[in-house]
């Protein structure tokens, strides 16, 4: 398979979990490199649904090396819960999962600050998952973060945590929030540290050895291009680099080891949380929600929905160097008579064919659409390209051409078997 970075080409929730699972079949190593338990990757296997937040989806296949890399922010308590749930389902974790010793920790004051800041922002809130992701990355950048290697050294953890709780309780007080109990946090986190210790290792060295051996490494992106801290619709973004570069810094695997970048995009557009979404459309949202689709895997929030936005996916292709595309949720459009594709934006009298950097300008943009006739037939049983209706194939070629990358995979449902490889 070669070393592959998989990224979301939209606003997250592109169906990456399913595509990662499909690509994992030929991978030896699967690595998470950024984000935290704000992510929710849903995988359906033989009718059973698994939602993974921190653990790479490779864990669901036998004998895959799964790595939580240095770029991830880890809530240890939540990770232990996830591991216990997976073990209860009969999934083998020991020996298959490796946790970076330099990954930063998410602590209760991060979650509390996340909530307090959102509350204080009022109608300007970001709509975060309230998992403490932003404050955890802020501490990392401020060099005040605690890392996994601190967590597994009891004396060191105790001293550092005491100091951090003291400072953060002062900040929480200013928000009018309850202070945290050192003892409660300490005991809960130390218990998680003991549970996680056997998994902790230097993952940079582990990945280097894998690359030297010629193992196939799959970098499992979380969130999507427009949630990237640098390239997204700032400030309505998450706090990590969700684009391809983040896979290298978040794992310690250098860029020259990367062979290809796969971009995952839905056949339409969705977003959770606040921030502009130029092709947002109430009718398509109602239709998808009525089908029971498009509710967030992490928070259960209904996702905002819109027409396919080719301006956005073209930009995603540029910033991540996307070579190949996986289009998911094609079946969601089976009953749409006339399909719209956003091919440009209008900002007043100006026509734009790129995403403006200023989020206020993006919020002003009106989409310019091209229309295509819908196929009006079910696609969820198709297993080969030729079995798709001609109009569906035309639509797929159009969105891939507008994005500027090669169409490789089409997904027509959540199951592994509902996957079409485009020759
Ligand atoms: P945070 O990552 O919790 O700080 O949230 C920041 C923004 O990213 C919010 O709009 C979230 O809804 C969004 N977000 C974070 N993680 C995901 C994800 O896995 N899928 C989709 N949106 C996400």
């Amino acid at each position: 398979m070669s070393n592959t970075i998989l990224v979301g080409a939209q606003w997250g929730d592109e169906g990456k979990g399913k595509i990662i699972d499909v690509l994992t079949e030929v991978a030896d190593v699967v690595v998470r490199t950024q984000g935290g338990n704000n992510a929710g990757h849903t995988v359906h296997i033989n009718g059973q649904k698994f939602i993974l937040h921190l653990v790479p989806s490779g864990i669901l296949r036998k004998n895959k090396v799964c790595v939580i890399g240095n770029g991830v922010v880890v809530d240890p308590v939540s990770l232990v819960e996830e591991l216990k749930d997976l073990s209860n389902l009969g999934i083998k974790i020991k020996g298959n999962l490796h946790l970076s010793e330099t990954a930063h920790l998410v602590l209760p004051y991060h979650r509390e600050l996340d909530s307090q800041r959102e509350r204080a922002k009022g109608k300007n809130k970001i709509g975060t998952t309230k998992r403490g992701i932003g404050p955890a990355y802020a501490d990392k950048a401020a060099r005040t973060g605690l890392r996994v290697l601190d967590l597994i050294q009891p004396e060191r953890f105790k001293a550092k945590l005491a100091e951090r709780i003291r400072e953060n309780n002062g900040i929480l007080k200013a928000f009018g929030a309850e202070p945290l109990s050192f003892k409660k946090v300490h005991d809960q986190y130390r218990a998680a540290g003991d549970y996680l210790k056997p998994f902790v290792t230097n993952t940079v060295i582990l990945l280097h050895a894998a690359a030297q051996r010629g193992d196939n490494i799959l970098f499992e992106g979380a969130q999507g291009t427009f949630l990237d801290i640098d390239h997204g619709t700032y400030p309505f973004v998450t706090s990590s680099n969700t684009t391809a570069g983040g896979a290298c810094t978040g794992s310690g695997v250098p860029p020259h080891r990367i062979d290809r970048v796969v971009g995952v995009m839905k056949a339409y557009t969705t977003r959770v949380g606040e921030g502009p979404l130029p092709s947002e459309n109430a009718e398509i949202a109602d239709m998808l929600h009525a089908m029971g689709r498009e509710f967030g895997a992490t928070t259960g929030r209904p996702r905002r929905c819109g027409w396919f936005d080719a301006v956005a996916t073209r930009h995603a292709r540029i910033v991540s160097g996307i070579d190949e595309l996986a289009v998911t949720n094609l079946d969601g459009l089976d009953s749409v008579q006339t399909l719209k594709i956003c091919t440009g934006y209008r900002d007043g009298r100006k026509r734009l064919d790129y995403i403006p950097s200023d989020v206020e300008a993006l919020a002003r943009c009106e989409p310019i659409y091209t229309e295509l006739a819908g196929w009006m037939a079910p696609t969820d049983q198709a297993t080969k390209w030729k079995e798709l209706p001609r109009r569906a194939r035309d639509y797929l070629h159009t969105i891939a051409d507008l994005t500027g990358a090669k169409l490789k995979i089409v997904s027509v449902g959540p199951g592994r078997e509902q996957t079409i490889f485009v020759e």
Side-chain angles (χ1 to χ4, degrees), residues 11-13 16 38-41 114 126-134 222-224 227 236-239 271-274 298 301 303:
W11 275 269
D13 303 322
K16 293 183 293 296
N38 50 348
H41 288 164
D114 196 354
I126 292 161
T128 72
T129 59
K130 300 204 177 118
R131 300 292 196 269
I133 305 300
Q223 291 88 38
L227 294 175
F236 300 102
V237 292
T238 190
S239 299
R271 165 167 214 169
V272 273
E274 308 304 315
T298 300
R301 291 179 287 180
R303 297 179 184 134

PDB file of all heavy atoms in Angstrom, residues 11-13 16 38-41 114 126-134 222-224 227 236-239 271-274 298 301 303, ligand 1:
ATOM      1  N   TRP A  11     -15.144  19.622   6.510  1.00  0.00           N
ATOM      2  CA  TRP A  11     -15.178  20.139   7.882  1.00  0.00           C
ATOM      3  C   TRP A  11     -15.215  19.015   8.922  1.00  0.00           C
ATOM      4  O   TRP A  11     -15.788  19.173   9.987  1.00  0.00           O
ATOM      5  CB  TRP A  11     -16.391  21.059   8.058  1.00  0.00           C
ATOM      6  CG  TRP A  11     -16.157  22.470   7.625  1.00  0.00           C
ATOM      7  CD1 TRP A  11     -15.696  23.497   8.411  1.00  0.00           C
ATOM      8  CD2 TRP A  11     -16.354  23.022   6.320  1.00  0.00           C
ATOM      9  NE1 TRP A  11     -15.599  24.636   7.653  1.00  0.00           N
ATOM     10  CE2 TRP A  11     -15.989  24.386   6.384  1.00  0.00           C
ATOM     11  CE3 TRP A  11     -16.797  22.506   5.109  1.00  0.00           C
ATOM     12  CZ2 TRP A  11     -16.068  25.239   5.288  1.00  0.00           C
ATOM     13  CZ3 TRP A  11     -16.863  23.342   4.011  1.00  0.00           C
ATOM     14  CH2 TRP A  11     -16.494  24.697   4.106  1.00  0.00           C
ATOM     15  N   GLY A  12     -14.615  17.893   8.614  1.00  0.00           N
ATOM     16  CA  GLY A  12     -14.677  16.755   9.531  1.00  0.00           C
ATOM     17  C   GLY A  12     -15.903  15.902   9.252  1.00  0.00           C
ATOM     18  O   GLY A  12     -16.761  16.281   8.430  1.00  0.00           O
ATOM     19  N   ASP A  13     -15.959  14.729   9.873  1.00  0.00           N
ATOM     20  CA  ASP A  13     -17.087  13.799   9.708  1.00  0.00           C
ATOM     21  C   ASP A  13     -17.292  13.387   8.255  1.00  0.00           C
ATOM     22  O   ASP A  13     -18.425  13.181   7.813  1.00  0.00           O
ATOM     23  CB  ASP A  13     -18.396  14.418  10.246  1.00  0.00           C
ATOM     24  CG  ASP A  13     -18.278  14.831  11.684  1.00  0.00           C
ATOM     25  OD1 ASP A  13     -17.632  14.094  12.436  1.00  0.00           O
ATOM     26  OD2 ASP A  13     -18.818  15.892  12.052  1.00  0.00           O
ATOM     27  N   LYS A  16     -14.331   9.211   7.481  1.00  0.00           N
ATOM     28  CA  LYS A  16     -12.941   8.734   7.446  1.00  0.00           C
ATOM     29  C   LYS A  16     -12.805   7.364   8.121  1.00  0.00           C
ATOM     30  O   LYS A  16     -12.045   6.532   7.660  1.00  0.00           O
ATOM     31  CB  LYS A  16     -12.016   9.734   8.158  1.00  0.00           C
ATOM     32  CG  LYS A  16     -11.899  11.076   7.439  1.00  0.00           C
ATOM     33  CD  LYS A  16     -10.918  11.998   8.123  1.00  0.00           C
ATOM     34  CE  LYS A  16     -11.392  12.455   9.496  1.00  0.00           C
ATOM     35  NZ  LYS A  16     -12.622  13.276   9.476  1.00  0.00           N
ATOM     36  N   ASN A  38     -12.037  14.514  20.832  1.00  0.00           N
ATOM     37  CA  ASN A  38     -13.062  15.271  20.104  1.00  0.00           C
ATOM     38  C   ASN A  38     -13.476  14.508  18.853  1.00  0.00           C
ATOM     39  O   ASN A  38     -14.556  14.701  18.319  1.00  0.00           O
ATOM     40  CB  ASN A  38     -12.548  16.685  19.738  1.00  0.00           C
ATOM     41  CG  ASN A  38     -11.181  16.690  19.074  1.00  0.00           C
ATOM     42  OD1 ASN A  38     -10.478  15.690  19.066  1.00  0.00           O
ATOM     43  ND2 ASN A  38     -10.788  17.832  18.541  1.00  0.00           N
ATOM     44  N   ALA A  39     -12.590  13.628  18.364  1.00  0.00           N
ATOM     45  CA  ALA A  39     -12.883  12.847  17.159  1.00  0.00           C
ATOM     46  C   ALA A  39     -13.815  11.690  17.502  1.00  0.00           C
ATOM     47  O   ALA A  39     -13.830  11.205  18.632  1.00  0.00           O
ATOM     48  CB  ALA A  39     -11.585  12.297  16.581  1.00  0.00           C
ATOM     49  N   GLY A  40     -14.578  11.273  16.520  1.00  0.00           N
ATOM     50  CA  GLY A  40     -15.425  10.097  16.686  1.00  0.00           C
ATOM     51  C   GLY A  40     -15.464   9.356  15.371  1.00  0.00           C
ATOM     52  O   GLY A  40     -16.122   9.798  14.439  1.00  0.00           O
ATOM     53  N   HIS A  41     -14.687   8.289  15.274  1.00  0.00           N
ATOM     54  CA  HIS A  41     -14.641   7.527  14.019  1.00  0.00           C
ATOM     55  C   HIS A  41     -15.549   6.306  14.124  1.00  0.00           C
ATOM     56  O   HIS A  41     -15.353   5.452  14.969  1.00  0.00           O
ATOM     57  CB  HIS A  41     -13.204   7.115  13.694  1.00  0.00           C
ATOM     58  CG  HIS A  41     -12.359   8.273  13.267  1.00  0.00           C
ATOM     59  ND1 HIS A  41     -10.999   8.241  13.223  1.00  0.00           N
ATOM     60  CD2 HIS A  41     -12.711   9.514  12.853  1.00  0.00           C
ATOM     61  CE1 HIS A  41     -10.543   9.420  12.795  1.00  0.00           C
ATOM     62  NE2 HIS A  41     -11.571  10.205  12.579  1.00  0.00           N
ATOM     63  N   ASP A 114     -12.542  25.016  28.644  1.00  0.00           N
ATOM     64  CA  ASP A 114     -13.196  24.937  27.332  1.00  0.00           C
ATOM     65  C   ASP A 114     -14.671  25.363  27.490  1.00  0.00           C
ATOM     66  O   ASP A 114     -15.177  26.235  26.771  1.00  0.00           O
ATOM     67  CB  ASP A 114     -13.081  23.486  26.841  1.00  0.00           C
ATOM     68  CG  ASP A 114     -13.365  23.312  25.352  1.00  0.00           C
ATOM     69  OD1 ASP A 114     -13.762  24.297  24.703  1.00  0.00           O
ATOM     70  OD2 ASP A 114     -13.188  22.190  24.839  1.00  0.00           O
ATOM     71  N   ILE A 126     -17.567  28.932  19.592  1.00  0.00           N
ATOM     72  CA  ILE A 126     -17.026  28.125  18.490  1.00  0.00           C
ATOM     73  C   ILE A 126     -17.876  26.881  18.258  1.00  0.00           C
ATOM     74  O   ILE A 126     -17.959  26.363  17.153  1.00  0.00           O
ATOM     75  CB  ILE A 126     -15.553  27.744  18.803  1.00  0.00           C
ATOM     76  CG1 ILE A 126     -14.696  29.021  18.764  1.00  0.00           C
ATOM     77  CG2 ILE A 126     -15.000  26.714  17.835  1.00  0.00           C
ATOM     78  CD1 ILE A 126     -13.379  28.910  19.466  1.00  0.00           C
ATOM     79  N   GLY A 127     -18.535  26.450  19.327  1.00  0.00           N
ATOM     80  CA  GLY A 127     -19.294  25.192  19.216  1.00  0.00           C
ATOM     81  C   GLY A 127     -18.358  24.014  19.387  1.00  0.00           C
ATOM     82  O   GLY A 127     -18.447  23.033  18.649  1.00  0.00           O
ATOM     83  N   THR A 128     -17.439  24.091  20.346  1.00  0.00           N
ATOM     84  CA  THR A 128     -16.464  23.004  20.534  1.00  0.00           C
ATOM     85  C   THR A 128     -17.154  21.756  21.081  1.00  0.00           C
ATOM     86  O   THR A 128     -18.307  21.814  21.523  1.00  0.00           O
ATOM     87  CB  THR A 128     -15.352  23.389  21.544  1.00  0.00           C
ATOM     88  OG1 THR A 128     -15.908  23.399  22.860  1.00  0.00           O
ATOM     89  CG2 THR A 128     -14.728  24.744  21.233  1.00  0.00           C
ATOM     90  N   THR A 129     -16.407  20.678  21.111  1.00  0.00           N
ATOM     91  CA  THR A 129     -16.942  19.434  21.672  1.00  0.00           C
ATOM     92  C   THR A 129     -16.842  19.438  23.208  1.00  0.00           C
ATOM     93  O   THR A 129     -17.253  18.486  23.852  1.00  0.00           O
ATOM     94  CB  THR A 129     -16.148  18.217  21.139  1.00  0.00           C
ATOM     95  OG1 THR A 129     -14.772  18.389  21.501  1.00  0.00           O
ATOM     96  CG2 THR A 129     -16.249  18.096  19.623  1.00  0.00           C
ATOM     97  N   LYS A 130     -16.256  20.485  23.749  1.00  0.00           N
ATOM     98  CA  LYS A 130     -16.063  20.645  25.206  1.00  0.00           C
ATOM     99  C   LYS A 130     -15.214  19.524  25.812  1.00  0.00           C
ATOM    100  O   LYS A 130     -15.371  19.160  26.970  1.00  0.00           O
ATOM    101  CB  LYS A 130     -17.409  20.748  25.933  1.00  0.00           C
ATOM    102  CG  LYS A 130     -18.220  21.934  25.435  1.00  0.00           C
ATOM    103  CD  LYS A 130     -19.208  22.395  26.466  1.00  0.00           C
ATOM    104  CE  LYS A 130     -19.967  23.619  25.981  1.00  0.00           C
ATOM    105  NZ  LYS A 130     -21.392  23.420  25.846  1.00  0.00           N
ATOM    106  N   ARG A 131     -14.328  18.966  25.017  1.00  0.00           N
ATOM    107  CA  ARG A 131     -13.435  17.909  25.504  1.00  0.00           C
ATOM    108  C   ARG A 131     -12.106  18.484  26.007  1.00  0.00           C
ATOM    109  O   ARG A 131     -11.177  17.739  26.297  1.00  0.00           O
ATOM    110  CB  ARG A 131     -13.146  16.879  24.400  1.00  0.00           C
ATOM    111  CG  ARG A 131     -14.363  16.164  23.862  1.00  0.00           C
ATOM    112  CD  ARG A 131     -14.949  15.238  24.936  1.00  0.00           C
ATOM    113  NE  ARG A 131     -15.877  14.275  24.365  1.00  0.00           N
ATOM    114  CZ  ARG A 131     -17.179  14.465  24.230  1.00  0.00           C
ATOM    115  NH1 ARG A 131     -17.729  15.591  24.632  1.00  0.00           N
ATOM    116  NH2 ARG A 131     -17.945  13.531  23.706  1.00  0.00           N
ATOM    117  N   GLY A 132     -11.973  19.827  26.023  1.00  0.00           N
ATOM    118  CA  GLY A 132     -10.744  20.433  26.550  1.00  0.00           C
ATOM    119  C   GLY A 132      -9.599  20.484  25.551  1.00  0.00           C
ATOM    120  O   GLY A 132      -8.440  20.707  25.932  1.00  0.00           O
ATOM    121  N   ILE A 133      -9.899  20.282  24.300  1.00  0.00           N
ATOM    122  CA  ILE A 133      -8.846  20.154  23.281  1.00  0.00           C
ATOM    123  C   ILE A 133      -8.069  21.467  23.108  1.00  0.00           C
ATOM    124  O   ILE A 133      -6.830  21.465  23.119  1.00  0.00           O
ATOM    125  CB  ILE A 133      -9.475  19.709  21.919  1.00  0.00           C
ATOM    126  CG1 ILE A 133     -10.285  18.419  22.096  1.00  0.00           C
ATOM    127  CG2 ILE A 133      -8.405  19.582  20.842  1.00  0.00           C
ATOM    128  CD1 ILE A 133      -9.537  17.223  22.602  1.00  0.00           C
ATOM    129  N   GLY A 134      -8.793  22.576  22.942  1.00  0.00           N
ATOM    130  CA  GLY A 134      -8.119  23.863  22.732  1.00  0.00           C
ATOM    131  C   GLY A 134      -7.203  24.225  23.902  1.00  0.00           C
ATOM    132  O   GLY A 134      -6.004  24.482  23.712  1.00  0.00           O
ATOM    133  N   ALA A 222      -7.750  13.009  11.781  1.00  0.00           N
ATOM    134  CA  ALA A 222      -9.012  13.273  12.477  1.00  0.00           C
ATOM    135  C   ALA A 222      -9.455  14.694  12.132  1.00  0.00           C
ATOM    136  O   ALA A 222      -8.639  15.519  11.725  1.00  0.00           O
ATOM    137  CB  ALA A 222      -8.819  13.130  13.981  1.00  0.00           C
ATOM    138  N   GLN A 223     -10.735  14.962  12.274  1.00  0.00           N
ATOM    139  CA  GLN A 223     -11.338  16.242  11.873  1.00  0.00           C
ATOM    140  C   GLN A 223     -11.103  16.484  10.367  1.00  0.00           C
ATOM    141  O   GLN A 223     -10.842  15.524   9.649  1.00  0.00           O
ATOM    142  CB  GLN A 223     -10.827  17.409  12.716  1.00  0.00           C
ATOM    143  CG  GLN A 223     -11.297  17.374  14.169  1.00  0.00           C
ATOM    144  CD  GLN A 223     -10.398  16.594  15.101  1.00  0.00           C
ATOM    145  OE1 GLN A 223      -9.194  16.636  14.984  1.00  0.00           O
ATOM    146  NE2 GLN A 223     -10.985  15.882  16.038  1.00  0.00           N
ATOM    147  N   GLY A 224     -11.156  17.722   9.915  1.00  0.00           N
ATOM    148  CA  GLY A 224     -11.030  17.950   8.470  1.00  0.00           C
ATOM    149  C   GLY A 224     -10.277  19.224   8.165  1.00  0.00           C
ATOM    150  O   GLY A 224      -9.981  20.027   9.079  1.00  0.00           O
ATOM    151  N   LEU A 227     -11.090  22.626   9.640  1.00  0.00           N
ATOM    152  CA  LEU A 227     -10.973  22.729  11.094  1.00  0.00           C
ATOM    153  C   LEU A 227      -9.505  22.847  11.484  1.00  0.00           C
ATOM    154  O   LEU A 227      -9.164  22.881  12.668  1.00  0.00           O
ATOM    155  CB  LEU A 227     -11.607  21.507  11.771  1.00  0.00           C
ATOM    156  CG  LEU A 227     -13.128  21.375  11.597  1.00  0.00           C
ATOM    157  CD1 LEU A 227     -13.628  20.058  12.201  1.00  0.00           C
ATOM    158  CD2 LEU A 227     -13.872  22.546  12.224  1.00  0.00           C
ATOM    159  N   PHE A 236     -13.094  29.425  13.968  1.00  0.00           N
ATOM    160  CA  PHE A 236     -14.032  28.297  14.088  1.00  0.00           C
ATOM    161  C   PHE A 236     -13.336  27.016  13.634  1.00  0.00           C
ATOM    162  O   PHE A 236     -13.690  26.428  12.594  1.00  0.00           O
ATOM    163  CB  PHE A 236     -15.301  28.580  13.282  1.00  0.00           C
ATOM    164  CG  PHE A 236     -16.003  29.826  13.752  1.00  0.00           C
ATOM    165  CD1 PHE A 236     -15.889  31.010  13.042  1.00  0.00           C
ATOM    166  CD2 PHE A 236     -16.737  29.812  14.918  1.00  0.00           C
ATOM    167  CE1 PHE A 236     -16.516  32.165  13.482  1.00  0.00           C
ATOM    168  CE2 PHE A 236     -17.373  30.967  15.373  1.00  0.00           C
ATOM    169  CZ  PHE A 236     -17.258  32.144  14.667  1.00  0.00           C
ATOM    170  N   VAL A 237     -12.334  26.635  14.382  1.00  0.00           N
ATOM    171  CA  VAL A 237     -11.485  25.506  14.010  1.00  0.00           C
ATOM    172  C   VAL A 237     -11.187  24.699  15.269  1.00  0.00           C
ATOM    173  O   VAL A 237     -11.499  25.128  16.380  1.00  0.00           O
ATOM    174  CB  VAL A 237     -10.141  26.010  13.418  1.00  0.00           C
ATOM    175  CG1 VAL A 237     -10.363  26.678  12.078  1.00  0.00           C
ATOM    176  CG2 VAL A 237      -9.418  26.959  14.378  1.00  0.00           C
ATOM    177  N   THR A 238     -10.522  23.568  15.085  1.00  0.00           N
ATOM    178  CA  THR A 238      -9.996  22.857  16.235  1.00  0.00           C
ATOM    179  C   THR A 238      -8.568  23.342  16.456  1.00  0.00           C
ATOM    180  O   THR A 238      -8.120  24.266  15.771  1.00  0.00           O
ATOM    181  CB  THR A 238     -10.125  21.323  16.065  1.00  0.00           C
ATOM    182  OG1 THR A 238      -9.809  20.701  17.304  1.00  0.00           O
ATOM    183  CG2 THR A 238      -9.227  20.789  14.957  1.00  0.00           C
ATOM    184  N   SER A 239      -7.825  22.760  17.363  1.00  0.00           N
ATOM    185  CA  SER A 239      -6.548  23.377  17.737  1.00  0.00           C
ATOM    186  C   SER A 239      -5.321  22.616  17.257  1.00  0.00           C
ATOM    187  O   SER A 239      -4.230  22.826  17.761  1.00  0.00           O
ATOM    188  CB  SER A 239      -6.502  23.556  19.260  1.00  0.00           C
ATOM    189  OG  SER A 239      -7.560  24.413  19.633  1.00  0.00           O
ATOM    190  N   ARG A 271     -21.109  20.093   8.550  1.00  0.00           N
ATOM    191  CA  ARG A 271     -20.273  20.726   9.563  1.00  0.00           C
ATOM    192  C   ARG A 271     -20.996  20.643  10.898  1.00  0.00           C
ATOM    193  O   ARG A 271     -22.217  20.836  10.937  1.00  0.00           O
ATOM    194  CB  ARG A 271     -20.042  22.189   9.145  1.00  0.00           C
ATOM    195  CG  ARG A 271     -19.508  23.075  10.229  1.00  0.00           C
ATOM    196  CD  ARG A 271     -18.990  24.415   9.772  1.00  0.00           C
ATOM    197  NE  ARG A 271     -17.867  24.721  10.649  1.00  0.00           N
ATOM    198  CZ  ARG A 271     -16.989  25.688  10.499  1.00  0.00           C
ATOM    199  NH1 ARG A 271     -17.076  26.499   9.469  1.00  0.00           N
ATOM    200  NH2 ARG A 271     -16.017  25.856  11.337  1.00  0.00           N
ATOM    201  N   VAL A 272     -20.255  20.404  11.991  1.00  0.00           N
ATOM    202  CA  VAL A 272     -20.849  20.591  13.322  1.00  0.00           C
ATOM    203  C   VAL A 272     -20.157  21.782  13.967  1.00  0.00           C
ATOM    204  O   VAL A 272     -19.005  22.050  13.695  1.00  0.00           O
ATOM    205  CB  VAL A 272     -20.721  19.382  14.275  1.00  0.00           C
ATOM    206  CG1 VAL A 272     -21.849  18.411  14.111  1.00  0.00           C
ATOM    207  CG2 VAL A 272     -19.390  18.672  14.126  1.00  0.00           C
ATOM    208  N   GLY A 273     -20.860  22.456  14.823  1.00  0.00           N
ATOM    209  CA  GLY A 273     -20.279  23.644  15.450  1.00  0.00           C
ATOM    210  C   GLY A 273     -20.572  24.876  14.608  1.00  0.00           C
ATOM    211  O   GLY A 273     -21.225  24.804  13.561  1.00  0.00           O
ATOM    212  N   GLU A 274     -20.057  26.005  15.123  1.00  0.00           N
ATOM    213  CA  GLU A 274     -20.374  27.286  14.480  1.00  0.00           C
ATOM    214  C   GLU A 274     -19.379  27.581  13.355  1.00  0.00           C
ATOM    215  O   GLU A 274     -18.444  26.834  13.139  1.00  0.00           O
ATOM    216  CB  GLU A 274     -20.332  28.406  15.519  1.00  0.00           C
ATOM    217  CG  GLU A 274     -21.174  28.154  16.760  1.00  0.00           C
ATOM    218  CD  GLU A 274     -22.627  27.875  16.452  1.00  0.00           C
ATOM    219  OE1 GLU A 274     -23.208  28.602  15.624  1.00  0.00           O
ATOM    220  OE2 GLU A 274     -23.189  26.924  17.023  1.00  0.00           O
ATOM    221  N   THR A 298     -19.525  12.071  18.284  1.00  0.00           N
ATOM    222  CA  THR A 298     -18.980  12.369  19.608  1.00  0.00           C
ATOM    223  C   THR A 298     -20.013  13.039  20.501  1.00  0.00           C
ATOM    224  O   THR A 298     -20.149  12.709  21.673  1.00  0.00           O
ATOM    225  CB  THR A 298     -17.725  13.264  19.474  1.00  0.00           C
ATOM    226  OG1 THR A 298     -16.764  12.542  18.702  1.00  0.00           O
ATOM    227  CG2 THR A 298     -17.116  13.616  20.821  1.00  0.00           C
ATOM    228  N   ARG A 301     -24.802  15.850  18.233  1.00  0.00           N
ATOM    229  CA  ARG A 301     -25.433  17.058  17.689  1.00  0.00           C
ATOM    230  C   ARG A 301     -25.809  16.843  16.219  1.00  0.00           C
ATOM    231  O   ARG A 301     -25.039  16.220  15.473  1.00  0.00           O
ATOM    232  CB  ARG A 301     -24.455  18.250  17.731  1.00  0.00           C
ATOM    233  CG  ARG A 301     -24.131  18.741  19.111  1.00  0.00           C
ATOM    234  CD  ARG A 301     -23.152  19.901  19.075  1.00  0.00           C
ATOM    235  NE  ARG A 301     -21.801  19.497  18.741  1.00  0.00           N
ATOM    236  CZ  ARG A 301     -20.773  20.344  18.644  1.00  0.00           C
ATOM    237  NH1 ARG A 301     -20.956  21.631  18.810  1.00  0.00           N
ATOM    238  NH2 ARG A 301     -19.564  19.913  18.366  1.00  0.00           N
ATOM    239  N   ARG A 303     -25.758  17.527  12.487  1.00  0.00           N
ATOM    240  CA  ARG A 303     -24.775  18.273  11.693  1.00  0.00           C
ATOM    241  C   ARG A 303     -25.489  19.230  10.741  1.00  0.00           C
ATOM    242  O   ARG A 303     -26.583  18.926  10.269  1.00  0.00           O
ATOM    243  CB  ARG A 303     -23.920  17.305  10.875  1.00  0.00           C
ATOM    244  CG  ARG A 303     -23.112  16.384  11.739  1.00  0.00           C
ATOM    245  CD  ARG A 303     -22.282  15.417  10.894  1.00  0.00           C
ATOM    246  NE  ARG A 303     -21.594  14.476  11.761  1.00  0.00           N
ATOM    247  CZ  ARG A 303     -21.538  13.152  11.559  1.00  0.00           C
ATOM    248  NH1 ARG A 303     -22.103  12.622  10.496  1.00  0.00           N
ATOM    249  NH2 ARG A 303     -20.899  12.386  12.404  1.00  0.00           N
TER     250      ARG A 303
HETATM  251  P1  LIG B   1     -12.884  21.258  19.536  1.00  0.00           P
HETATM  252  O1  LIG B   1     -12.000  20.438  18.648  1.00  0.00           O
HETATM  253  O2  LIG B   1     -13.661  20.447  20.510  1.00  0.00           O
HETATM  254  O3  LIG B   1     -12.118  22.391  20.176  1.00  0.00           O
HETATM  255  O4  LIG B   1     -13.979  21.980  18.608  1.00  0.00           O
HETATM  256  C1  LIG B   1     -13.641  22.952  17.645  1.00  0.00           C
HETATM  257  C2  LIG B   1     -14.483  22.797  16.391  1.00  0.00           C
HETATM  258  O5  LIG B   1     -14.106  21.584  15.728  1.00  0.00           O
HETATM  259  C3  LIG B   1     -15.973  22.690  16.647  1.00  0.00           C
HETATM  260  O6  LIG B   1     -16.672  23.278  15.572  1.00  0.00           O
HETATM  261  C4  LIG B   1     -16.216  21.187  16.652  1.00  0.00           C
HETATM  262  O7  LIG B   1     -17.544  20.864  16.353  1.00  0.00           O
HETATM  263  C5  LIG B   1     -15.261  20.770  15.562  1.00  0.00           C
HETATM  264  N1  LIG B   1     -14.824  19.391  15.688  1.00  0.00           N
HETATM  265  C6  LIG B   1     -13.924  18.883  16.548  1.00  0.00           C
HETATM  266  N2  LIG B   1     -13.758  17.566  16.343  1.00  0.00           N
HETATM  267  C7  LIG B   1     -14.549  17.233  15.324  1.00  0.00           C
HETATM  268  C8  LIG B   1     -14.778  16.011  14.614  1.00  0.00           C
HETATM  269  O8  LIG B   1     -14.195  14.950  14.894  1.00  0.00           O
HETATM  270  N3  LIG B   1     -15.687  16.088  13.593  1.00  0.00           N
HETATM  271  C9  LIG B   1     -16.278  17.235  13.246  1.00  0.00           C
HETATM  272  N4  LIG B   1     -16.101  18.396  13.868  1.00  0.00           N
HETATM  273  C10 LIG B   1     -15.225  18.394  14.896  1.00  0.00           C
END
